């Protein structure tokens, strides 16, 4: 494993049998998994390059059980890693050897559908797509739609502030979550926000969303649902040069048009997706834009004409407009399946996630090509082009000595490039362990210390999801929140790495 994690607490490991017995008393039946074979399914999340079994897995199915598990672990100084569906691509749910992996997979119930207030109250284990399916009969849907929406859980979406192809117009998870129930490491249960779009006081929902499981465990989520637009049509536009496609994106946004979604794929990604889905993608282009326009029919017709003119002005070589809902969905099917499609042409790949200003797209693509040649590894590029979120897929073979290390270095250089171009390290996948050691590229020590003070306010002992996000794990005492009494730290066993 190339990623360094906090050193395991041997004293906790020696007490494993005692800990397992105590957890079984809290979550009876099949709620505790402690055999090596059965825990293998939990040894990694979607970032499968890194694997490590947890000390024990606990699968509660009520908020009260979650609270009791966390309270027990807090009193005993035991680390806890929350986990949803395990689709995280940054190692956010990567387990630790001396910790409890707290799975929320049994929280599968939608508690309330409130069409009057246009919200759904759901448990965190419900999949993203299931929310839209539950309200589709009334003409509603949940807007954020990650490519993994058939599998990813809404609780995980909150943890990572997930986006998706339609986040350009309708926002990320943070723009569509109104409230949540959260359990702190001490076992305290808090309710933050609710069905109203506005709440008094500090924006605690803004803090919780995207906190990557470092502040608390979400056990209920209230999300906003939207009415389906009257009309939605997609354009599939091909370009002979990637730079021309990037220019088209900039001109569309610059003209005041905000598409429902606007995605880009380069030639390797196009070919992989077409071979997998047979969506009718043109194979003789270097870049493909999928642009969806939605709203009243008359408005969509006008926007199509304007976008078509912009695309031709940027040198498009192919342009196809969907004429049915089936055709529109087929256009998107290839893009949504791009990640598994690339998995068919390479034994392994790393999916990166950085964000840049839209105008810097040509520079970023040029730099990625240069890095591909430098490291001798292929790359397929998939972008949320409208908001500058890049997803380069670095192709490698883990069975070849040294290739995983080259892929990691390649990915790190891509993320450094994003920051140099005025962007950020992540758009929607989170920091986790993948980008943890690159946080210094974007934040100063003062910035990171201030972020850790917030962490300390929620989790003073640093027991929730340790080893993630922060490149150095400071003690809360060192950050000025806690006092050293009689020469002793309040929590001397908190690991450093």
């Amino acid at each position: 494993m190339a990623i360094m994690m906090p050193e395991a607490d041997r004293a906790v490991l020696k007490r494993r049998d005692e800990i397992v017995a105590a957890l079984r008393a809290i979550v009876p039946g099949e709620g505790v998994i402690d055999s090596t074979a059965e825990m293998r399914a939990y040894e990694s999340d979607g970032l499968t390059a890194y694997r490590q079994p947890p000390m024990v897995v606990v699968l509660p199915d009520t908020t009260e059980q979650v609270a009791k598990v966390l309270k027990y672990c807090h009193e005993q100084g035991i680390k806890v890693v929350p986990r949803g569906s395990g689709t995280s691509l940054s190692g956010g749910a990567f387990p630790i050897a001396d910790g409890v992996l707290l799975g929320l997979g049994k929280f599968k119930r939608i508690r309330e559908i409130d069409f009057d207030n246009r919200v759904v109250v759901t448990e965190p284990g419900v999949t993203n797509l299931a929310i839209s399916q539950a309200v589709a009969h009334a003409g509603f849907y949940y807007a954020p739609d990650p490519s993994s929406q058939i599998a990813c859980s809404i609780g995980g979406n909150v943890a990572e502030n997930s986006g998706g192809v339609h986040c350009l117009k309708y926002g990320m998870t943070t723009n569509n979550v109104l409230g949540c129930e959260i359990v702190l490491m001490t076992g305290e249960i808090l309710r933050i926000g609710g069905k109203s779009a506005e709440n008094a006081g500090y924006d605690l929902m803004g803090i919780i969303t995207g906190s990557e499981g470092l502040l608390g465990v979400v056990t209920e989520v209230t999300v906003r649902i939207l009415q389906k637009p009257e009309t939605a049509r997609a354009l599939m536009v091909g370009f002979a040069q990637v730079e021309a496609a990037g220019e088209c994106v900039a001109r569309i946004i610059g003209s005041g048009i905000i598409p429902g979604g606007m995605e880009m794929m380069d030639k390797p990604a196009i070919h992989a997706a077409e071979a997998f889905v047979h969506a009718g993608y043109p194979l003789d282009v270097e870049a493909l834009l999928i642009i969806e326009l939605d709203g009243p029919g008359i408005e969509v017709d006008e926007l199509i004409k304007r976008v078509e003119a912009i695309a031709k002005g940027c040198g498009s070589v192919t342009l196809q407009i969907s004429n049915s809902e089936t055709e529109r969905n087929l256009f998107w099917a290839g893009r949504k399946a791009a990640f598994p499609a690339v998995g068919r042409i390479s034994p392994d790949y790393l999916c990166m996630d950085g964000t840049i200003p839209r105008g810097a797209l040509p520079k970023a693509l040029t730099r990625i090509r240069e890095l591909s040649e430098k490291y001798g590894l292929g790359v397929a590029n998939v972008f949320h082009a409208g908001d500058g979120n890049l997803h380069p897929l670095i192709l490698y073979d883990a069975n070849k000595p040294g290739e995983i290390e080259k892929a990691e270095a390649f990915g790190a250089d891509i993320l450094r490039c994003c920051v140099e171009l005025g962007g950020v390290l992540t758009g929607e996948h989170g920091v986790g362990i993948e980008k943890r050691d690159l946080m210094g590229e974007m934040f100063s020590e003062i910035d990171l210390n201030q972020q850790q003070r917030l962490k300390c306010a929620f989790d003073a002992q640093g027991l929730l999801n340790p080893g993630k996000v922060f490149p150095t794990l400071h003690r809360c005492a060192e950050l000025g929140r806690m006092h050293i009494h009689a020469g002793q730290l309040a929590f001397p066993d908190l690991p450093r790495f």
Side-chain angles (χ1 to χ4, degrees):
M1 183 194 305
I3 297 290
M4 183 180 292
M5 295 298 290
E7 186 176 350
D9 188 331
R10 299 299 168 189
V12 169
L13 292 175
K14 286 180 180 179
R15 296 162 46 212
R16 182 175 183 269
D17 291 344
E18 169 197 329
I19 292 168
V20 169
L23 294 172
R24 287 194 192 282
I26 298 171
V27 186
E30 298 180 340
V32 176
I33 301 172
D34 66 332
S35 75
T36 301
E38 291 178 318
M39 288 195 298
R40 190 170 295 277
Y42 299 92
E43 66 182 6
S44 76
D45 55 16
L47 186 64
T48 56
Y50 310 110
R51 298 173 184 271
Q52 176 175 269
M55 178 175 67
V56 60
V57 176
V58 181
L59 304 174
D61 59 7
T62 69
T63 299
E64 290 69 28
Q65 287 180 347
V66 172
K68 289 178 181 179
V69 168
L70 291 179
K71 182 178 180 181
Y72 169 77
C73 290
H74 179 259
E75 292 171 346
Q76 299 296 319
I78 301 166
K79 306 179 188 82
V80 178
V81 176
R83 176 188 171 108
S85 297
T87 59
S88 168
L89 292 170
S90 65
F94 182 72
I96 50 179
D98 59 339
V100 172
L101 191 141
L102 184 68
L104 281 302
K106 290 186 177 181
F107 282 73
K108 295 180 178 178
R109 296 172 287 270
I110 290 180
R111 294 180 176 178
E112 182 185 2
I113 297 175
D114 183 348
F115 289 118
D116 290 337
N117 289 301
R118 299 193 175 191
V119 300
V120 168
V121 181
T122 177
E123 293 183 346
V126 172
T127 63
N128 175 288
L129 184 60
I131 296 174
S132 289
Q133 291 173 333
V135 297
H137 67 281
F140 285 81
Y141 74 110
Y142 177 62
D145 56 342
S147 294
S148 59
Q149 67 179 151
I150 191 172
C152 65
S153 66
I154 192 64
N157 288 177
V158 172
E160 305 294 347
N161 189 23
S162 301
V165 299
H166 289 93
C167 70
L168 173 61
K169 184 173 183 179
Y170 297 105
M172 309 283 283
T173 298
T174 190
N175 306 111
N176 291 274
V177 173
L178 300 175
C180 72
E181 177 184 77
I182 181 172
V183 185
L184 301 183
M185 189 64 217
T186 56
E188 297 171 90
I189 301 171
L190 305 181
R191 298 198 71 89
I192 299 171
K195 293 183 178 181
S196 172
E198 299 294 336
N199 291 285
Y202 294 117
D203 181 16
L204 294 180
M205 273 309 309
I207 293 173
I208 297 301
T209 306
S211 61
E212 303 196 34
L214 271 69
L215 306 184
V217 177
V218 174
T219 51
E220 181 185 280
V221 186
T222 300
V223 302
R224 183 199 321 270
I225 53 174
L226 302 176
Q227 276 192 310
K228 291 181 179 178
E230 175 188 310
T231 303
R233 298 178 70 188
L235 292 82
M236 189 163 63
V237 190
F239 295 86
Q241 295 179 325
V242 175
E243 291 76 10
E247 177 65 19
C248 184
V249 170
R251 289 191 190 182
I252 289 171
I253 300 295
S255 72
I257 300 171
I258 306 297
M262 183 157 51
E263 300 288 300
M264 182 191 297
M265 293 186 286
D266 69 0
K267 194 167 189 174
I270 295 166
H271 280 244
E274 177 60 19
F276 188 43
V277 176
H278 307 294
Y281 290 170
L283 299 178
D284 57 348
V285 298
E286 291 296 322
L288 185 68
L289 285 182
I290 303 175
I291 306 161
E292 182 168 295
L293 302 164
D294 60 17
I298 294 176
E299 178 185 356
V300 170
D301 289 342
E302 175 61 25
L303 291 176
I304 286 175
K305 293 176 183 177
R306 291 175 60 188
V307 169
E308 190 173 6
I310 292 171
K312 289 180 178 177
C314 291
S316 62
V317 293
T318 67
L319 193 149
Q320 185 177 346
I321 304 170
S322 66
N323 291 308
S324 66
E325 185 68 3
T326 299
E327 193 171 24
R328 182 184 72 87
N329 288 332
L330 188 59
F331 285 5
W332 283 118
R335 164 59 188 93
K336 293 245 180 193
F339 290 4
V342 169
R344 300 173 75 221
I345 64 173
S346 176
D348 303 280
Y349 67 79
L350 282 182
C351 175
M352 307 310 298
D353 165 53
T355 302
I356 59 170
R358 282 185 293 266
L361 184 57
K363 291 181 180 178
L365 291 170
T366 298
R367 182 64 178 143
I368 291 171
R369 281 198 296 266
E370 292 171 350
L371 290 170
S372 177
E373 294 175 5
K374 173 184 175 181
Y375 288 102
L377 297 175
V379 60
N381 289 294
V382 180
F383 311 130
H384 297 310
D387 61 355
N389 189 192
L390 314 183
H391 291 318
L393 308 178
I394 300 171
L395 315 182
Y396 72 99
D397 186 346
N399 293 317
K400 294 182 179 179
E403 283 220 344
I404 177 61
E405 290 78 12
K406 286 200 297 182
E408 289 174 324
F410 186 176
D413 280 348
I414 290 175
L415 295 176
R416 290 189 184 98
C417 173
C418 289
V419 174
E420 290 168 6
L421 292 172
V424 296
L425 290 172
T426 180
E428 57 176 338
H429 293 176
V431 175
I433 58 173
E434 178 197 41
K435 307 179 186 78
R436 182 194 70 193
D437 298 333
L438 291 169
M439 287 285 277
E441 300 286 336
M442 182 174 172
F443 298 106
S444 70
E445 187 69 16
I446 294 173
D447 296 330
L448 291 171
N449 285 345
Q450 191 64 22
Q451 292 177 38
Q452 288 193 325
R453 287 187 182 96
L454 180 62
K455 159 73 169 170
C456 291
F458 282 81
D459 176 24
Q461 294 188 43
L463 296 174
L464 265 176
N465 221 6
K468 316 292 173 62
V469 179
F470 298 114
T472 303
L473 184 60
H474 292 290
R475 301 175 191 271
C476 291
E478 294 172 337
L479 295 171
R481 183 181 185 277
M482 295 194 171
H483 297 288
I484 297 177
H485 179 67
Q488 297 294 318
L489 291 169
F491 304 103
D493 296 326
L494 187 65
R496 300 288 303 276
F497 62 100

